Amino acid sequence: MLQLREGIWRWEARHPSWSEDDGGPDGWGPEVASYAVETRERLLLVDPLSVPAEAEELAAGRETAIVLTCPWHQRDARALGERLGAVIFVPPPDEGEQDPVPGTVFAAGDRLPGGVKALPGLEPNDLVLWIEDLRALVLGDTLVDRGEGLEIPLTWLRDVTLAEVLATLRPLLDLPVELVLPTHGPPADRAALVRAIS
């Protein structure tokens, strides 16, 4: 687990359902990122997978919440929520989802614990988290880095066009973003965000 700056930690783990079919030039690699974020008096575990002991130590004795950027990032949320007694915050499930993650459903525009704001992302239930106190954006699947910098994953678009996604994301440039935290790829800075959505 790596501390990126005061109040933000990152770790990577191999996604348990990744296969060679997921890889390739348009796919995603086996390693995905999760984050622990201290916001005011809480700890948020974002898209947690294979949570290291250090993150569980941070959660010990404090109010902890699990936040998913999209419902398919459920990863280890259920088991971790039970183990820590943590509330899970999850965007609306996809239509027809047979076994959605139980938790408090949130949408773009909602405020989450610690003053985190949910913002529109790639899809209506693939959201970006704005952590204002730390000037950080958590991107979920909205922007990814497959080795050539942040980009919109065009092959992942379902019910939206690239033009619609760009229009949705450009307001992010009005925020005083310093740190960009994708779940697919390494952390980035404001300049990388500007290149990806300008």
Side-chain angles (χ1 to χ4, degrees):
M1 191 162 94
L2 175 67
Q3 186 168 12
L4 300 176
R5 63 163 52 171
E6 186 70 30
I8 302 176
W9 294 263
R10 179 183 188 273
W11 70 94
E12 287 188 347
R14 184 179 177 91
H15 196 284
S17 64
W18 188 86
S19 72
E20 291 296 328
D21 294 336
D22 296 318
D26 294 328
W28 51 285
E31 299 294 317
V32 294
S34 302
Y35 298 93
V37 179
E38 283 183 318
T39 59
R40 300 176 189 167
E41 296 167 6
R42 293 180 187 249
L43 182 73
L44 303 182
L45 298 173
V46 181
D47 293 341
L49 175 63
S50 299
V51 177
E54 299 95 331
E56 293 210 31
E57 288 170 14
L58 286 171
R62 66 191 313 180
E63 193 169 350
T64 300
I66 296 167
V67 181
L68 305 184
T69 56
C70 45
W72 52 90
H73 278 189
Q74 61 181 290
R75 301 174 176 179
D76 290 337
R78 293 174 198 242
L80 186 62
E82 288 177 15
R83 193 163 64 248
L84 297 178
V87 175
I88 300 172
F89 293 85
V90 60
D94 284 331
E95 188 173 330
E97 172 64 43
Q98 297 298 311
D99 189 24
V101 176
T104 301
V105 176
F106 70 96
D110 290 347
R111 287 251 176 218
L112 300 173
V116 173
K117 186 167 185 182
L119 301 172
L122 191 65
E123 301 281 347
N125 63 351
D126 181 5
L127 303 174
V128 172
L129 305 177
W130 171 232
I131 307 166
E132 184 174 13
D133 292 349
L134 300 173
R135 297 182 184 264
L137 280 177
V138 182
L139 299 172
D141 285 350
T142 293
L143 294 172
V144 300
D145 184 342
R146 295 182 272 210
E148 297 182 15
L150 287 178
E151 63 178 312
I152 296 168
L154 298 177
T155 57
W156 298 0
L157 299 181
R158 296 184 293 179
D159 299 321
V160 294
T161 66
L162 175 58
E164 290 169 328
V165 172
L166 287 170
T168 296
L169 298 181
R170 283 199 181 106
L172 297 177
L173 300 178
D174 296 333
L175 301 172
V177 176
E178 294 176 4
L179 187 59
V180 180
L181 307 171
T183 56
H184 298 281
D189 58 15
R190 180 179 184 81
L193 177 68
V194 171
R195 285 191 298 274
I197 62 178
S198 289

Short mmCIF file of all heavy atoms in Angstrom, two decimals, residues 19-44:
data_model
loop_
_atom_site.label_atom_id
_atom_site.label_comp_id
_atom_site.label_asym_id
_atom_site.label_seq_id
_atom_site.Cartn_x
_atom_site.Cartn_y
_atom_site.Cartn_z
N SER A 19 -9.45 -12.33 -17.30
CA SER A 19 -8.97 -13.41 -18.16
C SER A 19 -8.24 -12.79 -19.34
O SER A 19 -8.31 -11.58 -19.57
CB SER A 19 -10.14 -14.26 -18.66
OG SER A 19 -10.90 -13.54 -19.62
N GLU A 20 -7.56 -13.62 -20.11
CA GLU A 20 -6.85 -13.13 -21.29
C GLU A 20 -7.79 -12.42 -22.26
O GLU A 20 -7.39 -11.52 -22.99
CB GLU A 20 -6.13 -14.29 -22.00
CG GLU A 20 -4.97 -14.86 -21.22
CD GLU A 20 -3.83 -13.87 -21.01
OE1 GLU A 20 -3.60 -13.01 -21.88
OE2 GLU A 20 -3.17 -13.96 -19.96
N ASP A 21 -9.06 -12.81 -22.27
CA ASP A 21 -10.05 -12.16 -23.14
C ASP A 21 -10.25 -10.69 -22.77
O ASP A 21 -10.68 -9.89 -23.59
CB ASP A 21 -11.40 -12.88 -23.08
CG ASP A 21 -11.32 -14.28 -23.66
OD1 ASP A 21 -10.43 -14.54 -24.49
OD2 ASP A 21 -12.16 -15.12 -23.27
N ASP A 22 -9.99 -10.33 -21.51
CA ASP A 22 -10.14 -8.94 -21.07
C ASP A 22 -8.97 -8.07 -21.51
O ASP A 22 -9.07 -6.86 -21.56
CB ASP A 22 -10.23 -8.86 -19.53
CG ASP A 22 -11.46 -9.55 -19.00
OD1 ASP A 22 -12.54 -9.40 -19.61
OD2 ASP A 22 -11.36 -10.25 -17.98
N GLY A 23 -7.84 -8.70 -21.83
CA GLY A 23 -6.63 -7.96 -22.21
C GLY A 23 -6.68 -7.53 -23.66
O GLY A 23 -7.73 -7.42 -24.27
N GLY A 24 -5.51 -7.26 -24.21
CA GLY A 24 -5.45 -6.81 -25.59
C GLY A 24 -5.46 -5.31 -25.68
O GLY A 24 -5.56 -4.60 -24.68
N PRO A 25 -5.39 -4.78 -26.90
CA PRO A 25 -5.24 -3.34 -27.07
C PRO A 25 -6.44 -2.52 -26.58
O PRO A 25 -6.28 -1.38 -26.19
CB PRO A 25 -5.06 -3.18 -28.59
CG PRO A 25 -5.59 -4.44 -29.18
CD PRO A 25 -5.39 -5.51 -28.16
N ASP A 26 -7.64 -3.10 -26.59
CA ASP A 26 -8.81 -2.35 -26.14
C ASP A 26 -9.27 -2.76 -24.75
O ASP A 26 -10.27 -2.26 -24.25
CB ASP A 26 -9.98 -2.55 -27.12
CG ASP A 26 -9.68 -1.94 -28.48
OD1 ASP A 26 -8.97 -0.92 -28.51
OD2 ASP A 26 -10.13 -2.49 -29.49
N GLY A 27 -8.58 -3.68 -24.14
CA GLY A 27 -9.01 -4.23 -22.87
C GLY A 27 -8.35 -3.57 -21.68
O GLY A 27 -7.87 -2.45 -21.75
N TRP A 28 -8.29 -4.31 -20.61
CA TRP A 28 -7.71 -3.82 -19.37
C TRP A 28 -6.83 -4.91 -18.79
O TRP A 28 -7.02 -6.09 -19.04
CB TRP A 28 -8.79 -3.38 -18.39
CG TRP A 28 -9.89 -4.37 -18.14
CD1 TRP A 28 -10.93 -4.66 -18.98
CD2 TRP A 28 -10.09 -5.18 -16.98
NE1 TRP A 28 -11.74 -5.61 -18.41
CE2 TRP A 28 -11.26 -5.94 -17.18
CE3 TRP A 28 -9.39 -5.34 -15.80
CZ2 TRP A 28 -11.74 -6.84 -16.25
CZ3 TRP A 28 -9.87 -6.23 -14.85
CH2 TRP A 28 -11.04 -6.98 -15.08
N GLY A 29 -5.83 -4.47 -18.06
CA GLY A 29 -4.87 -5.39 -17.48
C GLY A 29 -5.42 -6.07 -16.24
O GLY A 29 -6.44 -5.67 -15.69
N PRO A 30 -4.72 -7.09 -15.78
CA PRO A 30 -5.20 -7.85 -14.62
C PRO A 30 -5.13 -7.09 -13.30
O PRO A 30 -5.89 -7.38 -12.38
CB PRO A 30 -4.28 -9.06 -14.59
CG PRO A 30 -3.04 -8.63 -15.30
CD PRO A 30 -3.49 -7.65 -16.34
N GLU A 31 -4.23 -6.10 -13.20
CA GLU A 31 -4.09 -5.35 -11.95
C GLU A 31 -5.03 -4.15 -11.95
O GLU A 31 -5.07 -3.38 -12.90
CB GLU A 31 -2.65 -4.87 -11.78
CG GLU A 31 -1.62 -5.98 -11.71
CD GLU A 31 -1.76 -6.85 -10.49
OE1 GLU A 31 -1.97 -6.31 -9.38
OE2 GLU A 31 -1.68 -8.09 -10.64
N VAL A 32 -5.79 -4.02 -10.87
CA VAL A 32 -6.68 -2.87 -10.71
C VAL A 32 -6.36 -2.18 -9.39
O VAL A 32 -5.82 -2.79 -8.47
CB VAL A 32 -8.17 -3.28 -10.77
CG1 VAL A 32 -8.53 -3.80 -12.16
CG2 VAL A 32 -8.51 -4.32 -9.71
N ALA A 33 -6.68 -0.90 -9.32
CA ALA A 33 -6.34 -0.10 -8.14
C ALA A 33 -7.55 0.10 -7.23
O ALA A 33 -8.69 0.17 -7.68
CB ALA A 33 -5.78 1.25 -8.56
N SER A 34 -7.25 0.22 -5.96
CA SER A 34 -8.21 0.59 -4.93
C SER A 34 -7.58 1.71 -4.10
O SER A 34 -6.36 1.88 -4.11
CB SER A 34 -8.53 -0.60 -4.02
OG SER A 34 -9.03 -1.70 -4.75
N TYR A 35 -8.43 2.43 -3.37
CA TYR A 35 -7.94 3.58 -2.61
C TYR A 35 -8.53 3.61 -1.21
O TYR A 35 -9.68 3.21 -0.99
CB TYR A 35 -8.31 4.89 -3.34
CG TYR A 35 -7.68 4.98 -4.70
CD1 TYR A 35 -8.35 4.56 -5.83
CD2 TYR A 35 -6.39 5.47 -4.86
CE1 TYR A 35 -7.76 4.62 -7.09
CE2 TYR A 35 -5.78 5.54 -6.10
CZ TYR A 35 -6.47 5.11 -7.21
OH TYR A 35 -5.88 5.16 -8.45
N ALA A 36 -7.75 4.11 -0.28
CA ALA A 36 -8.21 4.46 1.06
C ALA A 36 -8.04 5.96 1.17
O ALA A 36 -6.98 6.50 0.85
CB ALA A 36 -7.40 3.73 2.13
N VAL A 37 -9.11 6.63 1.61
CA VAL A 37 -9.10 8.09 1.64
C VAL A 37 -9.62 8.56 3.00
O VAL A 37 -10.71 8.18 3.42
CB VAL A 37 -10.01 8.67 0.52
CG1 VAL A 37 -10.03 10.18 0.57
CG2 VAL A 37 -9.57 8.17 -0.84
N GLU A 38 -8.81 9.38 3.67
CA GLU A 38 -9.26 10.00 4.91
C GLU A 38 -9.95 11.31 4.56
O GLU A 38 -9.35 12.19 3.94
CB GLU A 38 -8.07 10.31 5.82
CG GLU A 38 -7.53 9.11 6.53
CD GLU A 38 -6.40 9.48 7.47
OE1 GLU A 38 -5.54 10.29 7.11
OE2 GLU A 38 -6.37 8.92 8.57
N THR A 39 -11.22 11.42 4.94
CA THR A 39 -11.96 12.65 4.71
C THR A 39 -12.57 13.06 6.04
O THR A 39 -13.40 12.34 6.59
CB THR A 39 -13.08 12.45 3.68
OG1 THR A 39 -13.97 11.45 4.15
CG2 THR A 39 -12.52 12.06 2.33
N ARG A 40 -12.13 14.18 6.53
CA ARG A 40 -12.61 14.70 7.80
C ARG A 40 -12.45 13.63 8.88
O ARG A 40 -11.35 13.27 9.23
CB ARG A 40 -14.01 15.25 7.65
CG ARG A 40 -14.02 16.39 6.63
CD ARG A 40 -15.35 16.95 6.32
NE ARG A 40 -15.20 17.86 5.17
CZ ARG A 40 -16.21 18.33 4.49
NH1 ARG A 40 -17.44 18.02 4.83
NH2 ARG A 40 -16.00 19.14 3.48
N GLU A 41 -13.55 13.05 9.39
CA GLU A 41 -13.40 12.08 10.48
C GLU A 41 -13.69 10.65 10.03
O GLU A 41 -13.94 9.78 10.86
CB GLU A 41 -14.32 12.47 11.62
CG GLU A 41 -13.92 13.80 12.22
CD GLU A 41 -14.97 14.37 13.14
OE1 GLU A 41 -15.97 13.69 13.42
OE2 GLU A 41 -14.78 15.51 13.57
N ARG A 42 -13.66 10.39 8.73
CA ARG A 42 -13.99 9.06 8.22
C ARG A 42 -12.86 8.52 7.37
O ARG A 42 -12.02 9.25 6.88
CB ARG A 42 -15.24 9.13 7.34
CG ARG A 42 -16.50 9.47 8.05
CD ARG A 42 -17.62 9.50 7.04
NE ARG A 42 -18.84 9.99 7.63
CZ ARG A 42 -19.91 9.24 7.84
NH1 ARG A 42 -19.89 7.97 7.50
NH2 ARG A 42 -20.99 9.75 8.38
N LEU A 43 -12.95 7.22 7.15
CA LEU A 43 -12.09 6.57 6.17
C LEU A 43 -13.01 5.99 5.10
O LEU A 43 -13.99 5.31 5.42
CB LEU A 43 -11.27 5.45 6.81
CG LEU A 43 -10.31 4.76 5.84
CD1 LEU A 43 -9.13 5.67 5.52
CD2 LEU A 43 -9.83 3.43 6.40
N LEU A 44 -12.70 6.29 3.85
CA LEU A 44 -13.44 5.72 2.73
C LEU A 44 -12.53 4.71 2.04
O LEU A 44 -11.37 5.00 1.76
CB LEU A 44 -13.84 6.79 1.72
CG LEU A 44 -14.67 7.97 2.23
CD1 LEU A 44 -15.00 8.89 1.06
CD2 LEU A 44 -15.93 7.49 2.91
#
